[in-house]
Structure formats: C-alpha cells, structure tokens
Amino acid sequence: MNILIAGGAGYIGSHICVELLESGHDVVVIDDFSNSKPEVLDSIYKITGKHVKFYEFNVLDEEKTEAVFK
C-alpha cells in the first residue's frame, strides 16, 4: 500500500515512516523542512534500508499536493 505522510521528516512523521516501511508499505513524504531537517530522510534509509519517495513543498500548496496524487 502507498501511504502519504505530510511532515514525514519531522520527529513523529519520521517514526511513522520507519514503522510503515518495516511493515512493508511504500511511503511518500511531503515536507518543506520548516520544522525538520533533510538528514532525517537519510536516517530513515539507514534504519530501514528503504527509500521514501520525497517531495519538498508545503502540503498546503493544493496544486502541488494534487499533482502528487496524479
């Protein structure tokens, strides 16, 4: 299953990403790093051995968010 995590590079979001990846799901992250750091995505990979599909923008940008779903 593909699961979208808004704020996936933040503290809570990154932990959710790890759990979902370890459960066999594919994870898509949208984050603008306003309250997180890009290095977190590397940490998710180091823990799980899996990459997340990543988009850097604010999820409130409706046009960009809709494009992710297409």
Side-chain angles (χ1 to χ4, degrees):
M1 178 184 302
N2 291 319
I3 301 175
L4 173 67
I5 305 294
Y11 181 78
I12 295 171
S14 63
H15 284 77
I16 292 171
C17 288
V18 167
E19 292 299 319
L20 290 170
L21 289 166
E22 289 181 339
S23 295
H25 299 287
D26 293 319
V27 175
V28 178
V29 170
I30 297 174
D31 203 310
D32 65 356
F33 301 123
S34 61
N35 202 20
S36 60
K37 297 181 180 179
E39 296 82 22
V40 172
L41 299 173
D42 294 330
S43 297
I44 292 171
Y45 176 74
K46 288 178 186 174
I47 293 167
T48 65
K50 299 176 184 175
H51 290 283
V52 298
K53 183 153 181 110
F54 175 72
Y55 297 92
E56 184 177 354
F57 63 88
N58 189 309
V59 74
L60 295 176
D61 185 327
E62 292 180 34
E63 187 175 309
K64 288 182 180 178
T65 301
E66 287 180 19
V68 170
F69 286 97
K70 294 179 182 176

